[in-house]
Amino acid sequence: MRFIDRVDAGRRLAERVGHLRGERPVVLGLPRGGVPVAFEVAHALGAPLDVVLVRKLGVPYHRELGFGAIGEGGVRVIRDDIVRMSRVDDDDLAEVERAEETELARRAEQFREGRERIPLEGRTAIVVDDGIATGATAAAACQVVRAQGAERVVLAVPVAPPDAAAAFRGEVDELVCLSTPPAFSAVGEWYHDFTQTTDEEVVELLQRNAAEAAGDNPGEAHSGPLSIPVDDGTVTLAGDLTMPAGAPGLVVFAHGSGSSRLSPRNRAVARALNDAGLGTLLFDLLTPLEENDRANVFAVGPLARRLTEVTRWLRRRETVPVCYFGASTGAAAALWAAADPEAGDIAAVVSRGGRPDLAGERLAEVTSPTLLIVGGRDDVVLDLNRRAAQQLRCDNELAVVPDATHLFEEPGALESVADLARDWFTRHLGT
């Protein structure tokens, strides 16, 4: 079993722990990578989310050898046998513990931003990580939450080696593990996207869970990774949503051939749009496996149908007008989808170095105001866009960025694209 990303893993894991909803559990993510997984579990269960902070106590002359662990609330889990074997005096061990207590307090303040730790006394605690390798940290976390008063301790992980999973079955009240592949070398190999989770993302996810629990206005600023179902739910696409508070519209990015939601160019444009108060959704039109077949990259019709599906899914989640930003072949998919009545009214479309010609006869059916941005030195694509502009019957403009080539890598070129896109979207959103 492979997972698209931590969001996908969390949603699959949530299905397996649904039976715990009635126990009013507390979900505890191991920072950093376990928190995006835990967020999805907590969201599905309607449960509070917190971090379980554990610091390993390493023998001074051999820090990889742990003689115990500490957790919040003064919890200490000490391996007396290792302490005796290490032959380190009490003062040295106490110094290690003091240093780790300082780091524990710092991380607690950083992640919770002053919020109190959620009490575990008498509760079911679901400890979540993005996977188990050796299991040392997860084991320490389970011991810590038990010592903090949890009545039941459930360890929930997407993937673990068979021997580690077997060992945990005797250590916790319940183990939920989706996959135990025999050929296991690292957690990351079981994810298509195993991008490192940042401290900022941990903080944001904890904030989102706290806001959900408080019933705060869903129109407030929010962002984070998404898993988007398409093709009747048989395929899940990875995406990143950012919605500033009071955003007047949401720009959906359709990436081009060989690109993805991680494209630095599109992410730079998205940041500029976010700074202007617009929401953005960057997502992958194809799964990593599908991208291996280059024919899929140029299959504009199927890509456009997926974009339409994502748009319909998005309208059920957000209530603001939707715009499209397409790059390269993604621009053709954006224009094709903009002409699809099932996508609904698309407020505006921007194409960056696009191939609108690949949308064919659909160009004449587009009613959304459309801006075609092309580099002045991208001769072939510039000619294709001039012809496409003549076929468009909607309000449209062709903007040429002087001296820019196809990827807009020249100094200031990408900034010009961002400015043009921002102005086009805000103009047609009436802001």
Side-chain angles (χ1 to χ4, degrees):
M1 179 182 292
R2 281 184 175 271
F3 306 97
I4 294 173
D5 54 18
R6 292 180 178 90
V7 175
D8 176 43
R11 293 185 176 178
R12 294 202 217 180
L13 200 56
E15 296 176 1
R16 289 282 297 276
V17 298
H19 63 284
L20 298 172
R21 182 190 299 272
E23 298 184 24
R24 297 179 56 251
V26 176
V27 179
L28 301 157
L30 275 158
R32 296 185 291 258
V35 176
V37 183
F39 175 82
E40 298 300 329
V41 173
H43 178 74
L45 297 180
L49 173 67
D50 203 349
V51 285
V52 52
L53 296 173
V54 177
R55 297 297 298 176
K56 184 176 74 173
L57 302 176
V59 173
Y61 61 82
H62 184 18
R63 288 303 177 94
E64 291 302 312
L65 177 61
F67 67 87
I70 60 171
E72 294 175 276
V75 171
R76 299 170 74 247
V77 179
I78 303 297
R79 290 281 304 274
D80 292 329
D81 56 334
I82 295 180
V83 170
R84 287 193 300 270
M85 181 185 69
S86 68
R87 297 182 180 179
V88 178
D89 64 42
D90 292 343
D91 289 342
D92 288 339
L93 297 180
E95 184 178 345
V96 171
E97 191 166 343
R98 283 193 297 271
E100 295 300 343
E101 284 175 346
T102 300
E103 179 62 13
L104 192 71
R106 185 193 70 80
R107 289 169 70 83
E109 176 62 29
Q110 176 188 17
F111 290 144
R112 295 201 186 97
E113 298 186 316
R115 292 188 300 274
E116 294 294 324
R117 176 175 65 84
I118 297 176
L120 302 179
E121 290 81 0
R123 303 286 295 270
T124 293
I126 306 177
V127 177
V128 179
D129 205 355
D130 54 11
I132 290 175
T134 65
T137 303
C142 291
Q143 290 175 308
V144 164
V145 299
R146 180 87 72 187
Q148 288 173 345
E151 182 175 330
R152 291 191 70 224
V153 178
V154 178
L155 177 62
V157 293
V159 62
D163 54 345
F168 270 106
R169 295 189 192 281
E171 298 293 329
V172 296
D173 296 298
E174 184 177 350
L175 172 69
V176 179
C177 182
L178 302 182
S179 180
T180 54
F184 186 101
S185 60
V187 171
E189 68 179 334
W190 302 101
Y191 286 81
H192 291 295
D193 179 358
F194 200 61
T195 305
Q196 184 176 4
T197 304
T198 64
D199 289 343
E200 292 75 17
E201 185 178 351
V202 171
V203 171
E204 195 270 336
L205 291 173
L206 291 173
Q207 289 175 340
R208 283 177 62 187
N209 177 268
E212 286 182 6
D216 287 356
N217 186 349
E220 293 186 358
H222 56 279
S223 63
L226 297 171
S227 291
I228 308 170
V230 295
D231 297 355
D232 296 325
T234 60
V235 175
T236 304
L237 304 176
D240 295 308
L241 174 70
T242 300
M243 281 296 289
L250 173 60
V251 180
V252 179
F253 281 67
H255 307 290
S257 57
S259 188
S260 74
R261 74 188 192 286
L262 303 178
S263 160
R265 289 176 290 278
N266 283 342
R267 293 186 86 85
V269 174
R271 282 194 296 272
L273 298 181
N274 296 151
D275 290 343
L278 297 172
T280 56
L281 172 65
L282 296 102
F283 77 103
D284 296 334
L285 279 165
L286 298 171
T287 67
L289 183 61
E290 291 170 337
E291 288 175 354
N292 291 332
D293 184 350
R294 292 293 293 172
N296 291 329
V297 173
F298 293 92
V300 175
L303 294 178
R305 284 196 293 274
R306 282 194 174 176
L307 181 55
T308 295
E309 281 192 73
V310 170
T311 304
R312 294 173 62 189
W313 176 87
L314 199 56
R315 290 188 192 279
R316 295 193 292 269
R317 178 186 175 105
E318 307 291 342
T319 58
V320 297
V322 175
C323 305
Y324 288 157
F325 181 97
S328 190
T329 53
L335 288 164
W336 189 307
D340 187 345
E342 292 190 10
D345 181 36
I346 303 303
V349 178
V350 171
S351 162
R352 171 184 67 80
R355 290 291 308 277
D357 56 296
L358 296 177
E361 296 178 356
R362 290 292 184 113
L363 286 174
E365 301 173 23
V366 176
T367 59
S368 309
T370 299
L371 174 65
L372 306 173
I373 305 175
V374 189
R377 293 169 56 195
D378 192 5
D379 296 332
V380 174
V381 174
L382 179 55
D383 183 56
L384 292 172
N385 275 260
R386 283 174 174 151
R387 296 181 188 180
Q390 295 174 352
Q391 293 178 261
L392 288 168
R393 298 177 182 176
C394 57
D395 175 19
N396 72 88
E397 292 182 16
L398 174 64
V400 180
V401 179
D403 299 322
T405 52
H406 185 63
L407 296 180
F408 298 89
E409 296 175 308
E410 294 72 23
L414 195 60
E415 288 81 356
S416 296
V417 171
D419 290 344
L420 289 164
R422 177 200 61 210
D423 293 347
W424 187 261
F425 288 133
T426 54
R427 182 200 314 176
H428 292 283
L429 288 168
T431 59

